[in-house]
Amino acid sequence: MNKYHVILKNSIRDFCPANFAMVMATGIMSIAFEMMNFPGIARVLCTLNGVLYLILCIILATRIMFFLPNLVADLKNFQRVFLFLTFVVGTNTVGIQLIIFFQMTALAALLWVVALTGWLICVYFICFNFIQKKIIFHETVNGTTLLLAVSTVSISLLGVRLLDTVHLQVDFLYSVMAGFWALGFVLYFIIITPLIYRLFFVRFEIRDWSAPYWICMGATAIITLAGCEFIARIPGMPTWEGNQKTVFGITMIAWIIGTSWIPYLLFMDIRKFTHVNITTSAPIWIKIFPWARLAFGTQYHAYELSSWSRVFPMGMYTVSTLLLASAADLDALAIISRYWCWFALLIWSLTCTGMLRCIIYKMIYYETIQN
């Protein structure tokens, strides 16, 4: 019994906040299938996501209570502090699920407050790291850094949903939500500029490629989704009618940027997964479907916690494109989403299988070393 106590203690102490990327990915996939009129799949994913979120929140709360110095040390680490933003996005995603699936507005509002508090804490420590440690931004930027833009827009996304659900048409509140949306767009361009330079104009080794670079597209997808939400909500507000075309234009630009990233992201993923050894070529099953490495194989098994960062952008692109198709009255965009969503579900399934394999292997490993 003592050995399990030690394992549990170490797991809580070293709990990585990036685990909330699972909540982000599973939550947005459930919303996507609900919008595509597959309620069975949507409900299963929604239920699973609720359980995941509750478990992870209990672990995080336990870490705050018993290992606060360790957690603060993570927040003071410039690379790790951005991982805490997955909690912000995951919480807002669950909040949107509560509204869509259960009409639980009060609980969703509480989660929005929790997410906003988490966002403010993360922003404080990001600024602290910049000032205290004199971080050179363009040398440290990566895909994970874009979570700052994603989390900022997610505050706006759930906020607009809540305002519409409770029929609270107050110009000031909508302006605040629009401010978060615009800030997220600005942050995206601030971060993506040095990131593009790093990816395309500096020697970039394939071993440096990782799933969080998919957030290059995922950030624009959530900006598109929030823009579509504004377009759907502001017609009833006279003060905002003049800005509707501007919001639509920004939303279209964000979607075009995001769509243009997809071929590159797929290409780099294929290169990463098929690059197994300098002297030997990849097995045929990897060449047929490279993402199979997320779930299968022994020496070629490629799952890691950051793999969930690939799924959320895929699901978010589905949802944002479906809403944009409705806002722009373009049925062709809806067709794209319906095919892309099944691909995203396949990647979610492979990633989930890979995660379960890692958990089982770790349990077997602990049993072996103890015996």
Side-chain angles (χ1 to χ4, degrees), residues 142-144 198-199 204-216 265 268-269 272-273 304 306-307 309-310:
N142 53 42
T144 306
R198 180 183 180 186
L199 290 173
F204 186 81
E205 300 291 342
I206 191 62
R207 65 174 176 268
D208 297 325
W209 180 260
S210 58
Y213 284 106
W214 272 85
I215 308 175
C216 293
L265 297 171
M268 291 300 288
D269 258 12
K272 175 74 172 185
F273 288 129
E304 53 190 6
S306 64
S307 300
S309 300
R310 180 184 290 107

Side-chain angles (χ1 to χ4, degrees), residues 123-339:
V123 168
Y124 168 79
F125 277 100
I126 289 170
C127 295
F128 169 84
N129 285 323
F130 264 118
I131 298 169
Q132 192 78 8
K133 300 182 181 179
K134 299 179 181 179
I135 299 293
I136 301 175
F137 183 67
H138 70 273
E139 293 181 359
T140 57
V141 68
N142 53 42
T144 306
T145 315
L146 284 165
L147 284 169
L148 181 58
V150 174
S151 61
T152 304
V153 178
S154 74
I155 297 290
S156 168
L157 190 59
L158 178 55
V160 171
R161 277 274 183 170
L162 286 169
L163 291 175
D164 181 70
T165 304
V166 299
H167 307 292
L168 191 61
Q169 294 191 340
V170 179
D171 285 343
F172 171 74
L173 295 177
Y174 272 89
S175 297
V176 171
M177 295 305 109
F180 274 102
W181 178 61
L183 176 60
F185 203 19
V186 171
L187 288 170
Y188 177 77
F189 279 105
I190 291 174
I191 298 169
I192 204 66
T193 302
L195 194 54
I196 288 175
Y197 178 76
R198 180 183 180 186
L199 290 173
F200 295 101
F201 300 102
V202 177
R203 184 174 176 81
F204 186 81
E205 300 291 342
I206 191 62
R207 65 174 176 268
D208 297 325
W209 180 260
S210 58
Y213 284 106
W214 272 85
I215 308 175
C216 293
M217 179 271 283
T220 58
I222 195 171
I223 291 168
T224 302
L225 179 59
C228 290
E229 289 288 346
F230 274 108
I231 293 169
R233 316 301 174 200
I234 61 180
M237 303 182 64
T239 338
W240 279 85
E241 284 182 2
N243 298 320
Q244 191 166 2
K245 288 184 178 179
T246 304
V247 173
F248 181 75
I250 294 173
T251 302
M252 280 298 301
I253 290 171
W255 183 84
I256 291 169
I257 293 172
T259 303
S260 66
W261 273 106
I262 292 177
Y264 174 76
L265 297 171
L266 292 172
F267 171 73
M268 291 300 288
D269 258 12
I270 292 170
R271 281 192 62 197
K272 175 74 172 185
F273 288 129
T274 54
H275 183 79
V276 295
N277 196 297
I278 298 176
T279 57
T280 60
S281 60
I284 187 66
W285 63 273
I286 293 178
K287 292 180 178 179
I288 293 173
F289 193 75
W291 293 274
R293 285 186 63 188
L294 290 167
F296 306 112
T298 304
Q299 61 177 343
Y300 298 121
H301 189 217
Y303 170 82
E304 53 190 6
L305 183 57
S306 64
S307 300
W308 288 103
S309 300
R310 180 184 290 107
V311 185
F312 177 77
M314 289 182 173
M316 183 57 73
Y317 184 78
T318 301
V319 176
S320 62
T321 305
L322 280 172
L323 278 186
L324 185 62
S326 176
D329 197 22
L330 293 172
D331 293 336
L333 294 184
I335 295 173
I336 294 173
S337 290
R338 294 184 185 281
Y339 285 103

Side-chain angles (χ1 to χ4, degrees), residues 58-179:
I58 291 172
I59 296 173
L60 181 60
T62 306
R63 189 185 186 202
I64 292 172
M65 286 189 291
F66 296 103
F67 302 102
L68 185 58
N70 183 272
L71 183 138
V72 172
D74 277 355
L75 288 169
K76 289 182 178 179
N77 182 308
F78 184 73
Q79 294 298 335
R80 288 185 69 85
V81 66
F82 287 97
L83 300 178
F84 284 89
L85 292 169
T86 59
F87 167 75
V88 176
V89 185
T91 299
N92 284 321
T93 304
V94 172
I96 295 172
Q97 284 182 296
L98 290 173
I99 294 173
I100 293 176
F101 291 96
F102 307 107
Q103 295 77 50
M104 299 175 67
T105 308
L107 185 54
L110 176 62
L111 291 183
W112 183 85
V113 174
V114 171
L116 178 62
T117 304
W119 181 84
L120 290 171
I121 292 171
C122 290
V123 168
Y124 168 79
F125 277 100
I126 289 170
C127 295
F128 169 84
N129 285 323
F130 264 118
I131 298 169
Q132 192 78 8
K133 300 182 181 179
K134 299 179 181 179
I135 299 293
I136 301 175
F137 183 67
H138 70 273
E139 293 181 359
T140 57
V141 68
N142 53 42
T144 306
T145 315
L146 284 165
L147 284 169
L148 181 58
V150 174
S151 61
T152 304
V153 178
S154 74
I155 297 290
S156 168
L157 190 59
L158 178 55
V160 171
R161 277 274 183 170
L162 286 169
L163 291 175
D164 181 70
T165 304
V166 299
H167 307 292
L168 191 61
Q169 294 191 340
V170 179
D171 285 343
F172 171 74
L173 295 177
Y174 272 89
S175 297
V176 171
M177 295 305 109

Side-chain angles (χ1 to χ4, degrees), residues 10 13 47 104 126 159 268 288 294 305 340-342 349:
N10 292 340
R13 184 195 61 202
T47 304
M104 299 175 67
I126 289 170
M268 291 300 288
I288 293 173
L294 290 167
L305 183 57
W340 180 260
C341 194
W342 291 106
S349 302

